[in-house]
Each structure stands twice: as structure tokens, then as C-alpha cells.
């Protein structure tokens, strides 16, 4: 069955930008990578430069597709963000937008007809309009939300009655830990922090998949995407109800992506990052194998 909305789930530093580029090369798929900021901040404008080379405010794609997220004066409104700012009281917003805490309280606060639910409904409606315009912009069938937010996906599932599909991209925890330390400029004595971050995300995804067992979610390993890209992309296309296209593997085509620097410098060559094998000592790898053993085994890394 062909999908018109899918969500990509992935921890940091796990290849999500690469996957977004490859998916967006398909004529019937749209994926803009991270798409929305957590909170738009004009003073940090560099991260809002689209892969087309223009700032989001000047980018034709974002100009055409974000009309439902703008004020009458043409500025982005308070809904132009990954998660809704549901209340002026931070604690209330935190409860409503949390995934695994205060679930009963959140459901109580978001009952149909209550002010917070109306606010959430307006947010979801505006973002559905964005999805629709994005599909129309490319003449595509399916929009893939690449924000990677589990909490965001749950809002659309639970409170907007959406039928969605999911792509869960996971990377070897040891490779994740190396990228975590490198990008955050941390020394190797912070390995426990990195390992905890990987374990926690996998655990939350496990909870999500059990909570919404009726949602079809395909697990994709970053390593398989790099080493067997065609087979991996064929599996994703089958999930989304579209035929694989050879053009998916190659130079980016008509892209409007947000994300890391790969969005601007990817040349079509897929190279697996195996730096961790050289950067970590044997004792450090042994520690990671033990600290992350449960999920490393579950996903075939040990």
C-alpha cells in the first residue's frame, strides 16, 4: 500500500542526512532532512541555509511550502518548529511534548475540546498543510519527515489519526560513540556518556515500536545502507509502496535539505565511516561492547 506520510527515526550521527539525500532523489518521495528548527533563531542563520545554497527565507521551496506557518506579515509563526509551543508555561509544554513521562497526565490535558488540544490541533493542521504543499511542489506521492523526532511522530499518530509508516535508521553504537565525542569535542573519558546516549535512544525506540505495534516500521542499519545501498533502498521503497529508481544512488537532484554539512557537499559517493576502529583502543572497544552489549547483539553488531 502506497504511503503519503512516513517518519524517519534516527539518533544523532547515524547517517540520517545521507538517507534523506538518497530518498529525495526518488521522483515520488520528498525528504527535507531535519526540516524544522527546535526554535527558529535568526542570529544563528548559518544552520538555516538550505542545500540549494539560499537561506530558508529566500529558498523557493520553503517560500512555497510554509505558507501555513507564516504570519500575515510573512514571517514564520510560532508553529515553525519541530514540536509545538503548546503553552506559555514551560512545564505544561514539556509535559505535553514528552514521550515517556507523564503519559496519563498528558492524555488528560489533551482531551478533545480543551484549549491545549485546540492549540495542538492547529499546529498539526498547519504541518499537514506543509506536507501537502511539499508533495505538490515535487509532484510526489509521499513525504518523509526527517526531523527524527519520536515525540513528533507520536503527536501525528495519536492526536491526528494519521496512518504512517516508519524508517528506523540505526548505526553501530561504537561508531555512534566516536562521532558523538568528535562532534561534541569531548575526550575519550566521556565514553560512558556517549554509550548512555546510544542505549537510551534505542530503548525509547523499542518502547515506541511496542506502544504502536500496528505501525509498520522498517529497521535499516547504516552499515547496510553504505555497503548494500541498492538492496537497502529497495526494501525502503517496498515499505513505502513505490518502485526503486536507479537515480536514488548518485548526485543530489533538486534538493532542499537541512541537516549537517553533508547536505551541501555530498558528491554521490557513499562511504562508510569506520573511524572508530582506529580511534578507539582495544580496552575502550571492550568497554563499549560490554556497556552496549544488549542492543549491539540485538541489531547484529556483536
Amino acid at each position: 500500500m502506497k504511503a503519503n506520510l512516513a517518519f524517519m527515526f534516527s539518533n544523532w550521527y547515524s547517517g540520517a542526512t545521507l538517507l534523506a539525500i538518497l530518498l529525495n532523489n526518488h521522483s515520488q518521495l520528498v525528504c527535507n532532512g531535519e526540516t524544522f528548527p527546535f526554535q527558529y533563531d535568526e542570529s544563528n542563520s548559518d544552520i538555516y541555509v538550505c542545500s540549494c545554497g539560499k537561506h530558508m527565507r529566500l529558498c523557493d521551496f520553503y517560500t512555497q511550502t510554509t505558507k501555513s506557518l507564516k504570519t500575515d506579515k510573512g514571517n514564520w509563526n510560532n508553529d515553525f518548529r519541530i514540536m509545538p509551543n503548546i503553552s506559555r508555561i514551560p512545564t505544561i509544554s514539556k509535559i505535553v511534548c514528552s514521550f515517556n513521562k507523564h503519559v496519563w497526565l498528558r492524555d488528560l490535558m489533551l482531551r478533545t475540546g480543551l484549549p491545549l488540544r485546540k492549540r495542538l490541533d492547529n499546529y498539526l493542521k498547519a504541518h499537514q498543510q506543509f506536507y501537502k504543499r511539499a508533495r505538490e511542489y515535487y509532484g510526489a506521492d509521499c513525504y518523509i519527515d526527517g526531523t527524527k523526532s519520536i515525540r513528533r511522530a507520536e503527536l501525528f499518530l495519536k492526536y491526528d489519526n494519521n496512518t504512517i509508516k516508519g524508517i528506523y535508521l540505526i548505526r553501530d553504537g561504537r561508531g555512534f560513540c566516536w562521532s558523538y565525542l568528535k562532534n561534541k569535542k569531548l575526550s575519550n573519558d566521556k565514553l560512558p556518556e556517549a554509550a548512555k546516549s546510544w542505549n537510551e535512544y534505542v530503548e525509547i525506540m523499542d518502547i515506541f515500536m511496542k506502544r504502536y505495534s500496528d505501525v509498520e516500521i522498517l529497521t535499516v542499519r547504516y552499515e547496510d545502507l553504505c555497503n548494500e545501498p541498492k538492496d537497502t533502498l529497495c526494501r525502503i521503497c517496498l515499505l513505502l509502496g513505490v518502485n526503486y529508481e536507479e537515480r536514488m544512488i548518485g548526485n543530489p537532484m533538486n534538493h532542499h535539505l537541512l541537516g549537517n554539512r553533508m547536505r551541501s557537499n555530498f558528491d554521490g559517493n557513499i562511504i562508510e565511516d569506520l573511524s572508530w576502529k582506529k580511534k578507539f583502543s582495544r580496552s575502550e572497544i571492550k568497554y563499549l561492547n560490554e556497556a552496549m552489549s544488549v542492543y549491539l547483539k540485538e541489531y547484529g553488531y556483536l
Side-chain angles (χ1 to χ4, degrees), residues 257-268:
L257 274 82
L258 295 185
N260 63 33
R261 60 182 178 274
M262 178 181 279
R263 75 185 190 276
S264 301
N265 60 24
F266 180 65
D267 62 3

Side-chain angles (χ1 to χ4, degrees), residues 17 21 45-52 252 255 257-266:
T17 300
I21 291 172
S45 61
D46 287 348
I47 66 173
Y48 305 123
V49 175
C50 177
S51 58
C52 70
H255 277 43
L257 274 82
L258 295 185
N260 63 33
R261 60 182 178 274
M262 178 181 279
R263 75 185 190 276
S264 301
N265 60 24
F266 180 65

Side-chain angles (χ1 to χ4, degrees), residues 18 22 226 229 249-252 262 265-272:
L18 169 63
L22 300 178
C226 292
I249 303 175
N251 291 321
M262 178 181 279
N265 60 24
F266 180 65
D267 62 3
N269 293 313
I270 303 173
I271 302 174
E272 181 184 358

Side-chain angles (χ1 to χ4, degrees), residues 66-270:
T66 59
K67 294 178 181 179
S68 61
L69 300 168
K70 290 184 176 179
T71 66
D72 293 338
K73 295 182 179 180
N75 298 316
W76 282 308
N77 62 30
N78 204 35
D79 285 334
F80 187 73
R81 52 199 297 154
I82 289 179
M83 294 297 292
N85 185 17
I86 205 95
S87 171
R88 294 181 180 179
I89 304 174
T91 302
I92 293 179
S93 288
K94 186 174 182 180
I95 291 173
V96 169
C97 296
S98 66
F99 172 72
N100 206 32
K101 296 180 179 180
H102 313 296
V103 175
W104 68 270
L105 181 56
R106 179 188 62 193
D107 290 345
L108 183 65
M109 295 165 66
L110 291 175
R111 285 182 301 170
T112 302
L114 293 180
L116 291 181
R117 178 59 181 269
K118 292 179 180 179
R119 177 73 189 88
L120 176 61
D121 287 343
N122 289 337
Y123 171 88
L124 295 173
K125 181 179 179 181
H127 281 252
Q128 285 285 11
Q129 285 296 311
F130 167 78
Y131 293 147
K132 181 175 182 289
R133 290 193 173 104
R135 291 192 295 264
E136 292 173 346
Y137 185 91
Y138 280 99
D141 292 327
C142 178
Y143 185 86
I144 302 164
D145 187 309
T147 57
K148 304 178 290 186
S149 173
I150 300 171
R151 297 176 299 164
R152 176 179 170 87
E154 185 180 43
L155 291 179
F156 281 89
L157 262 173
K158 192 165 186 176
Y159 302 108
D160 203 33
N161 297 318
N162 278 271
T163 300
I164 72 168
K165 294 188 177 183
I167 304 164
Y168 175 27
L169 179 65
I170 187 170
R171 183 184 180 188
D172 187 323
R174 297 160 296 189
F176 166 85
C177 286
W178 167 246
S179 293
Y180 181 98
L181 298 178
K182 181 182 69 173
N183 284 279
K184 290 182 173 291
K185 298 180 172 58
L186 300 174
S187 61
N188 285 18
D189 63 357
K190 295 295 184 180
L191 268 181
E193 175 184 321
K196 180 182 178 184
S197 178
W198 188 79
N199 278 329
E200 286 181 344
Y201 189 90
V202 179
E203 182 181 0
I204 291 174
M205 266 307 299
D206 189 52
I207 294 171
F208 178 85
M209 290 189 287
K210 289 176 180 176
R211 185 181 294 177
Y212 300 100
S213 57
D214 57 327
V215 176
E216 193 173 357
I217 298 177
L218 176 67
T219 299
V220 173
R221 301 196 319 172
Y222 160 77
E223 296 74 20
D224 296 334
L225 179 65
C226 292
N227 296 307
E228 301 173 355
K230 182 174 180 178
D231 288 347
T232 303
L233 292 171
C234 280
R235 291 170 57 217
I236 296 175
C237 287
L238 182 63
L239 170 78
L240 300 177
V242 297
N243 294 322
Y244 170 78
E245 295 178 354
E246 294 292 341
R247 62 186 247 172
M248 295 180 77
I249 303 175
N251 291 321
M253 301 167 56
N254 190 23
H255 277 43
H256 296 281
L257 274 82
L258 295 185
N260 63 33
R261 60 182 178 274
M262 178 181 279
R263 75 185 190 276
S264 301
N265 60 24
F266 180 65
D267 62 3
N269 293 313
I270 303 173

